[in-house]
Every structure is written in structure tokens, then in C-alpha cells.
Amino acid sequence: MPHPWLEVFTAPLESFTRLIEAGGTVLVAILGVAILLFSLGLERWWYFRFTWRRERRALVNRWRARQDHVSWSALTLREIWTRDLIARLRRPLPWLKLLVMLCPLLGLLGTVTGMIAVFDGLAAQDTSQARAMADGVARATLPTLAGMAVAVMGLLFTTRLEFIIRREDQRLHDRLARAAETPHA
């Protein structure tokens, strides 16, 4: 008689195995891309939550400590510092966009390879079974569904990150402008 705790771990594993069997190896690739995509998203959240504010505060303090705030060279230096800091916030954005774009393509690849397998199976049986074809088509479209679902979630995150970057860029410029005017900006 199996231990009840063992069933807690084996039931999800069996469900996962059935899902992979139904979707094929492309579903594993989509899962890998999804894990990478959401790992980058979690890393950006962590960076923004814990590192960004500290770096922004340090930049404002460095700007405030300068004597010159109005000359061309001072304003150019402020712009360079700002761009550098915003670039650190923006760094994984191209990778996130690439992974989002890759998901539907992988889903389409899974559907095409699944449909080829369905038609090969039907040709080997030499009969036209509507039920077998319907099951095969349903299994073949599973990667497209998974790819689109991951892409939509990734697109939502990427759009939100772009909004945060624009907002933080504006806030950083505002804080640096106030820091030159008041000592406690």
C-alpha cells in the first residue's frame, strides 16, 4: 500500500507526463521558454523592488553632492548617469520580447509536427477514422494553445515593464531636477 505522502508528489508528475505525451517534445520546449521568461520577469521584479531604488537614491545623492548643476557639462553628465541607470533597468527587455515572440512560433511548430504525425498515422491505418483524426488534431493543437498562453502572459508582463521604465525615467529626471533646487528632494 503506497504511502499517502507519496501520492502528493506522484499525482502531479503523472499529470505532467500525460500532458507532455499529449503535446509532444515541442511542449517541453515551450515549457523551457516559459520558465526562462518568468525567471527573467521574477529577476526584474526583484531588481526593481530591492536594487533599483537604492541605485536611484545613490544617483540623486551623487548629483546633489556636485557643486555645478547648470553648466552644459553638468547637464550632460546628469543625462549620461540617467541613461546608464535606466539602461540597467531596461537590460533584459530585448530578451523578454524575443522569448514572447518565440512562444507562438514554437506552438505552431508543435501543431505542424503533430498534424504530420496524425496524417502519417491515418495513412498507415489505411482507413478514415473520424475519431482518431479528431483526437490527433486535438493533441496537435495543444502546443499552439500553450505557446499562445505563455506569449500572452509574457506580453502583459513586458508591456507593464515598459510602462514602469518610462515612469521611472520621468521620475528620475524629476528627482534630479528637484535635487538641484532643494536640499531634501
Side-chain angles (χ1 to χ4, degrees):
M1 186 163 142
H3 196 275
W5 283 99
L6 187 60
E7 190 174 317
V8 170
F9 296 109
T10 57
L13 186 61
E14 289 173 9
S15 298
F16 180 72
T17 306
R18 275 184 276 152
L19 183 66
I20 296 303
E21 287 173 2
T25 56
V26 175
L27 205 55
V28 176
I30 292 172
L31 177 66
V33 169
I35 289 171
L36 187 58
L37 180 70
F38 295 118
S39 296
L40 281 171
L42 183 62
E43 184 274 335
R44 273 301 90 179
W45 174 82
W46 186 268
Y47 175 80
F48 182 73
R49 185 88 171 134
F50 298 106
T51 307
W52 166 256
R53 291 180 178 137
R54 186 177 62 239
E55 289 180 351
R56 182 182 60 197
R57 197 174 315 115
L59 178 62
V60 170
N61 290 336
R62 187 169 40 167
W63 176 250
R64 188 179 298 131
R66 287 183 50 87
Q67 296 296 323
D68 179 22
H69 293 124
V70 293
S71 71
W72 177 84
S73 60
L75 294 176
T76 303
L77 182 62
R78 183 178 89 173
E79 188 62 29
I80 290 171
W81 287 350
T82 303
R83 283 185 189 168
D84 182 49
L85 191 59
I86 293 296
R88 280 185 249 156
L89 186 59
R90 188 184 305 267
R91 186 171 293 142
L93 200 55
W95 290 105
L96 288 168
K97 288 180 178 182
L98 175 71
L99 292 173
V100 166
M101 184 183 71
L102 192 61
C103 287
L105 295 175
L106 284 173
L108 183 60
L109 176 66
T111 297
V112 169
T113 56
M115 292 302 291
I116 290 171
V118 166
F119 293 137
D120 280 347
L122 289 175
Q125 291 179 358
D126 205 27
T127 60
S128 60
Q129 295 178 348
R131 177 77 179 151
M133 186 169 181
D135 287 342
V137 169
R139 289 178 61 187
T141 56
L142 187 61
T144 299
L145 173 68
M148 292 302 287
V150 172
V152 166
M153 293 305 295
L155 187 61
L156 290 173
F157 174 77
T158 303
T159 303
R160 178 71 179 154
L161 180 61
E162 287 176 330
F163 171 77
I164 289 171
I165 290 169
R166 283 192 306 271
R167 182 190 69 198
E168 290 301 314
D169 188 18
Q170 186 62 45
R171 283 182 179 176
L172 182 59
H173 280 90
D174 291 346
R175 287 182 183 191
L176 289 174
R178 280 195 320 257
E181 298 169 3
T182 61
H184 300 292

